[in-house]
Each structure stands twice: as structure tokens, then as C-alpha cells.
Amino acid sequence: VHQLGISSMRVEELRILLDNDYMGDNYSSWRFTGNDGWFKSAEPGGIPALRAAYQDNIANADLITVDIGWNNFGVYVCNQLVDYLSKGSYKWTADINSIFETEAEKQAAQEAKDIIGAYIKNYVGEGQIATALTDIFAYSILGYIHNFDIVMEKIYELNPDAQVIVLGI
């Protein structure tokens, strides 16, 4: 049994460890890969060594359980809301265009964001707080969905024979 979970990890940080071409968003940089990132000390040798350890454990596992996402909605959303409510701005990006690469993906994401925004406005009305809530929740939800799918692909690339069980969120 190998416990690979790291407290407060979002799906973006797990993707960093499984996708050698991905370095996360600016929130990941603050918490994970930047100069002050406190996950760097989780493995001697920094991110490259941590990636190797994760990928090796996944490649050799018979059973993998995945329980990630609560921090996409708890930690990220709370930090963004506190920052917005205290300073009137976001500390990290809330731009959904930074998540997606193709124009089709960006268009679909904008349509989803419009749905999220309409739902929020129905409860809090029009105004700056509705816009902030829409930006923050759309980024969190759409980023989670997109990056979770990639994480699952990477797990199966590393170990196509593993039994994978998704827990929780």
C-alpha cells in the first residue's frame, strides 16, 4: 500500500505529477512548483523526483484509488473568494481560456460558464459579486473536469491493466 495523497492537492497538481509536459496554473505555482511552493519538499529532488515516484507507483499498482477534487472547490474557491472580498481582485487566474487549448474547447467552456453564471445570478442578482462568483466557480468546475479527464488518461497510459476506483467527488 502506497499512500500518495498530499493534503490540499488539487487535480491540477496531480496532473503535474503524471503529465511531464504540464506545469499547472498560477495557483499550482504558488502552492506546488514556485519558489515558495511547499510541496517541493515532499520528495528530495523536487518535482522531477516526485513525478518519478508517483509514476513508478502507478505503473506498478494492481489497484489504484483516486479521491481528488475537494480542494479544487474548497481550497481554491475559498482562497479566491477571500482575496476578492478583501481586495476586490483575484490573486490567481480565474480565466477559463487559460485551461483550454482549442477554440472549440474555449467556446464550449464559455457556454458552460454562461450556464453557471445564470444560475448564480438567479440567486444573488446582477453585480460584481455575481461576476466574481461566476469567474471563480467556472474556473474551478471546468478546470477540475478537464484536468480530471487528463489525469485518468495518464493513469491508464502508465498502467493499462490496473483496476482504478474513483472515490468521493
Side-chain angles (χ1 to χ4, degrees), residues 75-84 90-94 136:
V75 175
Y76 170 82
V77 167
C78 288
N79 281 330
Q80 285 287 65
L81 285 173
V82 166
D83 222 54
Y84 181 79
Y90 311 122
K91 185 170 186 173
W92 305 283
T93 189
I136 293 166

Side-chain angles (χ1 to χ4, degrees), residues 73-166:
F73 305 105
V75 175
Y76 170 82
V77 167
C78 288
N79 281 330
Q80 285 287 65
L81 285 173
V82 166
D83 222 54
Y84 181 79
L85 293 172
S86 65
K87 299 176 186 163
S89 63
Y90 311 122
K91 185 170 186 173
W92 305 283
T93 189
D95 179 10
I96 59 170
N97 287 317
S98 67
I99 300 169
F100 302 99
E101 295 177 18
T102 69
E103 287 306 313
E105 288 175 325
K106 290 177 183 183
Q107 179 61 38
Q110 185 57 54
E111 291 170 9
K113 182 178 177 178
D114 292 343
I115 293 167
I116 293 166
Y119 182 81
I120 289 170
K121 288 176 186 173
N122 186 49
Y123 288 95
V124 300
E126 298 282 338
Q128 290 180 334
I129 192 67
T131 299
L133 289 170
T134 299
D135 288 346
I136 293 166
F137 278 100
Y139 186 85
S140 180
I141 293 166
L142 299 173
Y144 172 78
I145 292 168
H146 177 72
N147 288 299
F148 182 84
D149 288 347
I150 293 170
V151 161
M152 295 306 295
E153 289 172 13
K154 294 295 181 185
I155 289 171
Y156 282 114
E157 283 175 19
L158 290 164
N159 190 339
D161 298 323
Q163 182 177 3
V164 179
I165 299 173
V166 177

Side-chain angles (χ1 to χ4, degrees), residues 4 6 9 13 16-18 20 23 32-33 39-58:
L4 299 178
I6 298 174
M9 184 185 276
E13 286 85 43
I16 289 170
L17 299 175
L18 303 182
N20 295 333
M23 287 305 293
F32 198 88
T33 59
F39 287 115
K40 287 177 120 178
S41 63
E43 182 77 24
I47 297 300
L50 195 55
R51 276 181 168 155
Y54 266 70
Q55 291 176 22
D56 183 60
N57 275 284
I58 288 170

